[in-house]
Amino acid sequence: MIEVHGVVRRYRRHGAPALDGVDLELPAGRDLALVGSSGAGKSTLLRVLLGLEPADAGTVRVLGRPVAPGSARSLRWLRAAVGVVAQDAGSSLDPRWPVGRSVAEPLRLLDLPGDPAARVREVLTAVDVDPGAADRRPAAFSGGQRQRIALARALVHRPTLLVADELLSGADAVLRGHLLALLTGLGTQLLLVTHDLALAGALAGDVAVLAAGRVVEHGPAVDVLRAP
Ligand code: ADP
Ligand code: ADP
């Protein structure tokens, strides 16, 4: 479902590339936690996967289709198929808009049929945010609530794949447990970037370890996270 072969991404002419020949294959239905220390290339790999920046070499396919960063059609298709929750997602909600409008935005952009208001209520309920508060602006919510509202926006159009960068890093134990149960119960394939090995293990899927722009380990969490 995700196939990355020989991907190189270089920001500077000299010095180490951010991605240095990344190979990664993730079959449909397997959740993946992408781990690695700061600077390993995790965010760069996500941006390349999402078509937000080009690879200098190599190939990327997501859900069977090549990712073509220059192609509006390819990007539109990716937006429909993939939900994205960026790091610090809560602050990406437009402060001027009622949160319900932000959550509905992907439905409008993708011109999907159906009643947007009903779907917004449904998805806010799913992330444990009072749907009756959809007419309030982000400032009326706590940081954790804003993060969940951003998650609702990423899920509103029922993507096949959800990509999230450090989604749970700011959450307390209760919220994390709750979100983890929610995420794993969605039936949506997950690709989560995290520093947190306990979280990677709790997902109970695969773990890929990125170091200096390469995948150095990849396999079931129980194997990869076993103490050396
Ligand atoms: P991670 O997400 O694992 O912390 P990043 O993908 O952010 O790693 O960064 C990988 C390397 O690429 C780092 O050395 C970082 O400084 C560099 N890098 C990332 N984005 C850019 C950019 N836009 N311009 C220049 N260098 C970048
Ligand atoms: P993260 O590791 O979570 O991606 P970063 O600080 O690396 O956080 O990235 C935040 C933004 O800064 C990204 O858009 C990235 O492209 C950019 N960036 C990261 N490292 C560099 C760098 N060395 N030079 C220029 N831009 C960078």
Side-chain angles (χ1 to χ4, degrees):
M1 222 172 192
I2 294 176
E3 296 165 78
V4 176
H5 290 297
V7 163
V8 174
R9 176 70 178 144
R10 190 182 284 280
Y11 290 110
R12 294 177 205 82
R13 191 180 290 274
H14 304 288
L19 300 177
D20 191 13
V22 171
D23 290 304
L24 184 66
E25 282 197 25
L26 187 68
R30 297 286 299 174
D31 293 340
L32 181 77
L34 183 63
V35 304
S37 51
S38 183
K42 303 182 297 294
S43 302
T44 302
L45 179 57
L46 285 195
R47 289 194 297 271
V48 170
L49 273 174
L50 296 170
L52 299 176
E53 58 181 73
D56 297 309
T59 57
V60 180
R61 295 174 77 88
V62 171
L63 309 175
R65 290 212 198 187
V67 172
S71 151
R73 255 183 91 188
S74 170
L75 294 182
R76 186 184 154 83
W77 179 83
L78 266 175
R79 258 204 301 278
V82 184
V84 181
V85 195
Q87 198 168 7
D88 199 15
S91 59
S92 70
L93 300 169
D94 192 314
R96 299 162 303 175
W97 287 5
V99 296
R101 179 171 168 193
S102 288
V103 172
E105 187 66 1
L107 301 175
R108 196 184 65 75
L109 284 175
L110 296 166
D111 206 12
L112 294 181
D115 176 6
R119 177 61 186 151
V120 166
R121 280 195 298 276
E122 184 177 58
V123 75
L124 283 175
T125 304
V127 299
D128 235 3
V129 170
D130 174 12
D135 60 347
R136 301 203 188 154
R137 294 178 186 185
F141 297 88
S142 71
Q145 285 172 326
R146 283 199 292 267
Q147 200 180 27
R148 278 176 284 148
I149 292 165
L151 176 61
R153 179 179 58 185
L155 294 171
V156 72
H157 59 300
R158 299 187 169 88
T160 311
L161 173 69
L162 180 74
V163 172
D165 195 350
E166 297 289 357
L167 173 63
L168 304 176
S169 51
D172 64 31
V174 174
L175 178 58
R176 286 164 56 100
H178 179 80
L179 284 179
L180 206 58
L182 166 72
L183 289 173
T184 52
L186 286 173
T188 303
Q189 187 175 19
L190 304 175
L191 197 174
L192 302 190
V193 168
T194 181
H195 282 95
D196 183 337
L197 296 182
L199 171 66
L203 264 181
D206 289 346
V207 174
V209 182
L210 205 60
R214 286 167 172 269
V215 175
V216 294
E217 276 190 87
H218 180 197
V222 281
D223 298 335
V224 173
L225 300 175
R226 185 182 292 141

mmCIF file of all heavy atoms in Angstrom, residues 18 61 79 94 98 103 107 128 138-139 157 175 178 182 212 215:
data_model
loop_
_atom_site.group_PDB
_atom_site.id
_atom_site.type_symbol
_atom_site.label_atom_id
_atom_site.label_comp_id
_atom_site.label_asym_id
_atom_site.label_seq_id
_atom_site.Cartn_x
_atom_site.Cartn_y
_atom_site.Cartn_z
ATOM 1 N N ALA A 18 19.097 14.344 3.684
ATOM 2 C CA ALA A 18 18.081 14.087 4.712
ATOM 3 C C ALA A 18 17.509 12.683 4.553
ATOM 4 O O ALA A 18 17.206 12.008 5.536
ATOM 5 C CB ALA A 18 16.970 15.134 4.611
ATOM 6 N N ARG A 61 5.139 5.159 -4.144
ATOM 7 C CA ARG A 61 3.752 4.846 -4.482
ATOM 8 C C ARG A 61 2.954 4.789 -3.198
ATOM 9 O O ARG A 61 3.416 4.239 -2.198
ATOM 10 C CB ARG A 61 3.654 3.499 -5.200
ATOM 11 C CG ARG A 61 4.331 3.485 -6.556
ATOM 12 C CD ARG A 61 4.315 2.080 -7.153
ATOM 13 N NE ARG A 61 3.010 1.724 -7.697
ATOM 14 C CZ ARG A 61 2.620 1.986 -8.941
ATOM 15 N NH1 ARG A 61 3.431 2.598 -9.773
ATOM 16 N NH2 ARG A 61 1.425 1.629 -9.356
ATOM 17 N N ARG A 79 -4.941 13.866 -1.479
ATOM 18 C CA ARG A 79 -5.707 14.555 -0.430
ATOM 19 C C ARG A 79 -6.985 13.817 -0.098
ATOM 20 O O ARG A 79 -7.433 13.802 1.039
ATOM 21 C CB ARG A 79 -6.046 15.982 -0.873
ATOM 22 C CG ARG A 79 -5.158 17.032 -0.242
ATOM 23 C CD ARG A 79 -5.830 18.396 -0.205
ATOM 24 N NE ARG A 79 -6.202 18.869 -1.524
ATOM 25 C CZ ARG A 79 -5.380 19.457 -2.356
ATOM 26 N NH1 ARG A 79 -4.135 19.664 -2.032
ATOM 27 N NH2 ARG A 79 -5.792 19.855 -3.548
ATOM 28 N N ASP A 94 -8.047 27.323 11.636
ATOM 29 C CA ASP A 94 -8.162 28.754 11.397
ATOM 30 C C ASP A 94 -8.830 29.415 12.605
ATOM 31 O O ASP A 94 -9.970 29.077 12.938
ATOM 32 C CB ASP A 94 -8.979 29.001 10.126
ATOM 33 C CG ASP A 94 -8.882 30.465 9.666
ATOM 34 O OD1 ASP A 94 -9.013 31.364 10.528
ATOM 35 O OD2 ASP A 94 -8.675 30.693 8.475
ATOM 36 N N PRO A 98 -15.445 29.081 12.952
ATOM 37 C CA PRO A 98 -16.010 28.091 13.870
ATOM 38 C C PRO A 98 -15.366 26.740 13.545
ATOM 39 O O PRO A 98 -15.117 26.440 12.366
ATOM 40 C CB PRO A 98 -17.501 28.064 13.512
ATOM 41 C CG PRO A 98 -17.750 29.255 12.677
ATOM 42 C CD PRO A 98 -16.455 29.687 12.081
ATOM 43 N N VAL A 103 -13.586 21.651 10.194
ATOM 44 C CA VAL A 103 -13.714 20.198 10.057
ATOM 45 C C VAL A 103 -14.379 19.845 8.724
ATOM 46 O O VAL A 103 -14.030 18.853 8.077
ATOM 47 C CB VAL A 103 -14.493 19.606 11.251
ATOM 48 C CG1 VAL A 103 -14.807 18.139 11.036
ATOM 49 C CG2 VAL A 103 -13.692 19.783 12.544
ATOM 50 N N LEU A 107 -14.479 18.227 3.017
ATOM 51 C CA LEU A 107 -15.666 17.808 2.266
ATOM 52 C C LEU A 107 -15.956 18.806 1.149
ATOM 53 O O LEU A 107 -16.324 18.443 0.034
ATOM 54 C CB LEU A 107 -16.885 17.707 3.192
ATOM 55 C CG LEU A 107 -16.775 16.729 4.362
ATOM 56 C CD1 LEU A 107 -18.015 16.830 5.249
ATOM 57 C CD2 LEU A 107 -16.598 15.312 3.845
ATOM 58 N N ASP A 128 -14.674 12.643 20.596
ATOM 59 C CA ASP A 128 -15.024 13.064 21.940
ATOM 60 C C ASP A 128 -15.027 14.569 22.126
ATOM 61 O O ASP A 128 -14.615 15.084 23.160
ATOM 62 C CB ASP A 128 -14.038 12.443 22.953
ATOM 63 C CG ASP A 128 -14.783 11.663 24.018
ATOM 64 O OD1 ASP A 128 -16.019 11.575 23.918
ATOM 65 O OD2 ASP A 128 -14.125 11.149 24.934
ATOM 66 N N PRO A 138 -11.651 28.143 17.683
ATOM 67 C CA PRO A 138 -10.645 27.315 18.367
ATOM 68 C C PRO A 138 -10.267 27.815 19.761
ATOM 69 O O PRO A 138 -9.997 27.013 20.662
ATOM 70 C CB PRO A 138 -9.442 27.370 17.423
ATOM 71 C CG PRO A 138 -10.029 27.597 16.077
ATOM 72 C CD PRO A 138 -11.253 28.444 16.295
ATOM 73 N N ALA A 139 -10.267 29.141 19.964
ATOM 74 C CA ALA A 139 -9.835 29.692 21.248
ATOM 75 C C ALA A 139 -10.706 29.198 22.403
ATOM 76 O O ALA A 139 -10.292 29.233 23.563
ATOM 77 C CB ALA A 139 -9.836 31.220 21.197
ATOM 78 N N HIS A 157 -13.438 12.952 5.729
ATOM 79 C CA HIS A 157 -13.732 12.446 4.378
ATOM 80 C C HIS A 157 -13.430 10.952 4.250
ATOM 81 O O HIS A 157 -13.352 10.437 3.147
ATOM 82 C CB HIS A 157 -12.965 13.258 3.342
ATOM 83 C CG HIS A 157 -11.466 13.235 3.520
ATOM 84 N ND1 HIS A 157 -10.852 13.679 4.661
ATOM 85 C CD2 HIS A 157 -10.481 12.795 2.722
ATOM 86 C CE1 HIS A 157 -9.546 13.531 4.531
ATOM 87 N NE2 HIS A 157 -9.290 12.979 3.373
ATOM 88 N N LEU A 175 -5.877 10.732 27.784
ATOM 89 C CA LEU A 175 -6.201 11.117 26.414
ATOM 90 C C LEU A 175 -5.500 10.197 25.414
ATOM 91 O O LEU A 175 -6.065 9.791 24.398
ATOM 92 C CB LEU A 175 -5.794 12.573 26.183
ATOM 93 C CG LEU A 175 -6.012 13.123 24.771
ATOM 94 C CD1 LEU A 175 -7.460 13.008 24.358
ATOM 95 C CD2 LEU A 175 -5.553 14.577 24.689
ATOM 96 N N HIS A 178 -7.254 6.966 25.155
ATOM 97 C CA HIS A 178 -8.507 7.176 24.443
ATOM 98 C C HIS A 178 -8.262 7.303 22.936
ATOM 99 O O HIS A 178 -8.928 6.668 22.116
ATOM 100 C CB HIS A 178 -9.159 8.441 24.993
ATOM 101 C CG HIS A 178 -10.431 8.773 24.314
ATOM 102 N ND1 HIS A 178 -11.615 8.143 24.620
ATOM 103 C CD2 HIS A 178 -10.704 9.649 23.330
ATOM 104 C CE1 HIS A 178 -12.565 8.632 23.834
ATOM 105 N NE2 HIS A 178 -12.037 9.546 23.052
ATOM 106 N N LEU A 182 -9.313 4.904 19.808
ATOM 107 C CA LEU A 182 -10.060 5.474 18.678
ATOM 108 C C LEU A 182 -9.352 5.181 17.359
ATOM 109 O O LEU A 182 -9.954 4.704 16.395
ATOM 110 C CB LEU A 182 -10.191 6.992 18.884
ATOM 111 C CG LEU A 182 -10.650 7.797 17.674
ATOM 112 C CD1 LEU A 182 -12.113 7.548 17.416
ATOM 113 C CD2 LEU A 182 -10.417 9.281 17.895
ATOM 114 N N ALA A 212 19.671 8.574 10.214
ATOM 115 C CA ALA A 212 20.493 9.242 9.203
ATOM 116 C C ALA A 212 19.965 9.013 7.785
ATOM 117 O O ALA A 212 20.723 8.750 6.856
ATOM 118 C CB ALA A 212 21.949 8.788 9.326
ATOM 119 N N VAL A 215 16.228 3.534 6.442
ATOM 120 C CA VAL A 215 15.470 2.611 7.287
ATOM 121 C C VAL A 215 16.451 1.534 7.736
ATOM 122 O O VAL A 215 16.971 0.774 6.919
ATOM 123 C CB VAL A 215 14.291 1.985 6.528
ATOM 124 C CG1 VAL A 215 13.593 0.935 7.387
ATOM 125 C CG2 VAL A 215 13.292 3.072 6.127
#
